[in-house]
């Protein structure tokens, strides 16, 4: 055992409290920090709300004072326009000794003694009445008053000086003189108008000059009393919210802590059981570390998983192909069918997992080329024909008239439709399966197509339908046991539909059948100039003339190298082999090859680096190089092309695909097989 392993094994085992429970939950002192933070937030919110109420109250009082000031100005203006008004002399309204006017005092025809009330005298009279009745006071003042009692106090002097500098108004909340409350003091300037000149012209004023101002003292306590219920409600709301959240949070934290304690106890018991076998314990810790690393690099993990599974799977399918071609009796044919069916099922599962991973990672590329919907539907029918026939099912298609020159990804459309159709055949014991295509809407640039597959199968309960399109979901566990499947097909179909601007869904009646549908929005091309992309099909492998040329095969895995050599030799080509990229570069530099088949992951020098070095050899600069690799991602294909390769075949290799690809790059011998 290494020192690092001894250090790991001899380190203190994590306890229930420290290992299983996060410190933010386990330490109740942290809860106090949470409480203080919440109290600070609630206090800040309460202070802000009370401040808003106070500000609004001050605005209301200020606007009230403005309105009073405006009313005083209106009364003064009315008085001035009439040259003053006469009222009866009373105890409260005596002749104004500061008014110099030849007709200040008059006698009415009935002998009533009258005196003239000018604007200033009227303002003073109204102020006295308002103070007696409402506690509100007006004060007309000036820096050069005629009446000594109109002299400005300190606050009014500052306001008058500010008016001289262009300030339009001043106001402030001040404490009452007796300390019983507060009052709002407001002041605005009085400007000389034409009607004022008869009294103030001799003081040197001109129209537009500031004569003085009127201050308004408005009791603020009644406004505070009116807003007290609102403030009390705000305080109560915040206090209730604070207590409710604090109590609920403490309860939730306590419950969560208890659950963590229970989980920790379970983990501790499991850990104690694992301590019986130190080697097993070490393996589990390594597996845990590997799983954590896989979560950090999911795409890399899936790519490596795909490569490691596809490599031996390539050996299985290739060897099965060679054994079948060597001749078998009936029982062995049946056994070989099962072997190949199992390998194809495994490959389909791997491809589904990779597709779902690429979709979730945003790396799923949708191509756009001219497609034939009729060909896609026909391909799906052809793939499922034997399966449907063996169950006595009618497999039909119903395609409505479609716009011409539709552009889309034929491979993904066929994949989505095949997922639906294969499920329909799987879950239908009698009756029919119908593949339908309809145009839901279209314009000059695009068309929304709806693909649907209807069956007369077992149906799906309505409550189960919404979760069927989630990954790894089926109707219930018994469905998986009876019919098999990973539950990925419907999830992938929905994601393909969404990537192509559509949706996916299903309608079903248990015992009567189901209709699964998806929609896609396809662009409409301009005509024959668009490249035509039909759905992928496995190429046929009829007898063809022998090939001319010499092939270099670079493959490090012995079984795969043996299988690939046999498959290539069946094409009557001369095949040389290299066990790594360095050997391939050396052999390509010493011999002229007509075709190079290159694995990617190899020791010493990988296939990409080997290709780059071969491209620097003058006589091999244009030699066709085909990648044959278990790295099946789209980015892997792009890396191969960027390195200088000409074509790409994914493992496990379909012998017919390999033959068709090799024939594409090598010319056949006109008169049969090449001499060896």
């Amino acid at each position: 055992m290494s020192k690092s392993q001894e250090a790991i094994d001899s380190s203190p085992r994590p306890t229930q409290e420290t290992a299983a429970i996060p410190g933010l939950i386990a330490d109740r002192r942290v809860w106090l920090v949470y409480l203080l933070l919440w109290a600070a937030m609630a206090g800040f919110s309460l202070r802000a709300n009370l401040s808003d109420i106070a500000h609004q109250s001050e605005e209301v009082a200020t606007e009230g004072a403005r309105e009073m000031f405006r009313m005083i100005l209106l009364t003064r203006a009315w008085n001035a326009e009439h040259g003053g008004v006469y009222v009866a002399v009373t105890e409260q309204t005596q002749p104004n000794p500061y008014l110099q006017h030849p007709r200040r005092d008059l006698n009415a025809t009935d002998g009533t003694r009258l005196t003239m009330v000018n604007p200033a005298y009227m303002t003073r009279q109204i102020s006295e009445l308002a103070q007696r009745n409402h506690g509100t006071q007006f004060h007309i003042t000036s820096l050069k008053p005629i009446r000594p009692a109109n002299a400005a106090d300190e606050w009014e002097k500052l306001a008058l000086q500010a008016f001289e500098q262009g300030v339009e108004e001043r106001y402030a909340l001040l404490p009452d003189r007796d300390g019983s409350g507060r009052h709002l003091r407001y002041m605005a300037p009085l400007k000389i108008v034409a009607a004022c000149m008869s009294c103030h012209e001799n003081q040197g004023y001109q129209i537009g000059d500031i004569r003085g101002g009127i201050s308004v003292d408005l009791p603020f306590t009644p406004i505070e009393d009116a807003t007290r219920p609102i403030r009390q409600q705000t305080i109560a709301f915040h206090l209730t919210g604070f207590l409710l959240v604090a109590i609920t949070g403490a309860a939730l934290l306590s419950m969560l802590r208890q659950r963590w304690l229970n989980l920790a106890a379970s983990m501790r018991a499991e850990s104690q059981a694992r301590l019986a076998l130190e080697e097993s314990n070490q393996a589990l810790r390594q597996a845990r570390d590997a799983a954590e690393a896989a979560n950090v690099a999911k795409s890399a993990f899936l790519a490596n998983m795909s490569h490691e599974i596809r490599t031996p799977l390539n050996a299985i399918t290739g060897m099965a192909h060679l054994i079948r071609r060597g001749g078998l009796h009936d029982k062995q044919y049946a056994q070989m069918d099962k072997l190949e069916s199992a390998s194809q099922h495994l490959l389909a599962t791997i491809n589904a997992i990779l597709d779902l991973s690429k979709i979730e990672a945003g790396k799923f590329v949708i191509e756009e080329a001219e497609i034939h919907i009729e060909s896609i539907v026909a391909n799906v029918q052809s793939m499922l024909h034997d399966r449907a026939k063996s169950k006595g099912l009618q497999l039909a298609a119903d395609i409505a008239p479609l716009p011409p020159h539709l552009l889309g990804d034929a491979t993904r459309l066929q994949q989505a439709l095949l997922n639906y159709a294969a499920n329909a055949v799987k879950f239908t014991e009698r009756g029919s399966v119908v593949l339908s295509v309809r145009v839901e809407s279209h314009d000059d640039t695009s068309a929304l197509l709806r693909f649907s597959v209807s069956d007369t199968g077992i149906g799906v309960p309505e409550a189960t339908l919404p979760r069927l399109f989630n990954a790894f979901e089926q109707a219930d566990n018994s469905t998986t046991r009876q019919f098999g499947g990973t539950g990925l097909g419907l999830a992938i179909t929905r994601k393909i539909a969404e990537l192509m601007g559509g949706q996916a869904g299903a309608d079903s009646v248990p015992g009567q059948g189901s209709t699964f549908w998806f929609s896609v929005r396809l662009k409409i091309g301009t005509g024959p100039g668009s490249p035509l992309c039909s759905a992928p099909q496995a190429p046929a492998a009829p007898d063809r003339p022998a090939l001319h040329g010499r092939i270099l095969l670079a493959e490090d895995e012995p079984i795969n190298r043996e299988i690939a050599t046999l498959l290539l030799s069946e094409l009557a080509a001369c095949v040389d082999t290299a066990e790594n990229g360095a050997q391939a570069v050396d052999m390509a530099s010493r011999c002229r090859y007509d075709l190079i088949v290159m694995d990617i992951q190899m020791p010493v020098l990988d296939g990409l680096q080997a290709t780059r070095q071969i491209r620097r050899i003058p006589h091999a600069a244009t030699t066709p190089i085909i990648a044959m690799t278990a790295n099946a991602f789209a980015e892997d294909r792009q890396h191969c092309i960027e390195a200088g390769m000409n074509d790409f075949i994914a493992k496990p290799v379909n012998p017919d695909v390999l033959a068709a690809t090799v024939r594409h790059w090598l010319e056949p011998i006109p008169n049969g097989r090449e001499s060896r």
Side-chain angles (χ1 to χ4, degrees), residues 221-237:
T221 302
I223 296 177
E224 291 182 313
D225 293 340
T227 58
R228 183 174 292 108
I230 300 176
R231 296 197 302 274
Q232 292 173 345
Q233 291 175 4
T234 302
I235 294 172
F237 174 79

Side-chain angles (χ1 to χ4, degrees), residues 514-633:
S514 307
T515 297
F516 283 78
W517 59 268
F518 68 90
S519 60
V520 295
R521 182 167 294 280
L522 303 178
K523 291 183 180 180
I524 298 178
T526 57
S530 302
L532 180 62
C533 177
S534 59
Q537 304 179 54
D543 293 335
R544 296 194 179 184
L547 299 177
H548 172 74
R550 187 167 189 167
I551 298 176
L552 171 61
L553 169 65
E555 169 64 67
D556 65 304
E557 209 284 320
I559 298 177
N560 285 332
R561 185 168 63 249
E562 176 185 352
I563 293 171
T565 301
L566 291 173
L567 292 175
L568 292 172
S569 297
E570 288 184 349
L571 301 173
C574 179
V575 182
D576 294 337
T577 61
E579 297 182 5
N580 56 59
Q583 288 185 10
V585 173
D586 179 65
M587 295 174 68
S589 65
R590 292 186 286 105
C591 180
R592 293 179 179 269
Y593 288 100
D594 299 287
L595 179 67
I596 299 174
V597 179
M598 182 80 69
D599 188 18
I600 299 303
Q601 290 194 9
M602 292 185 293
V604 184
L605 192 68
D606 65 40
L608 298 179
Q609 294 176 333
T611 298
R612 295 188 181 97
Q613 293 188 21
I614 290 173
R615 288 303 183 211
R616 291 196 287 268
I617 300 173
H619 66 261
T622 60
T623 301
I625 301 178
I626 301 174
M628 186 169 67
T629 175
N631 297 336
F633 283 107

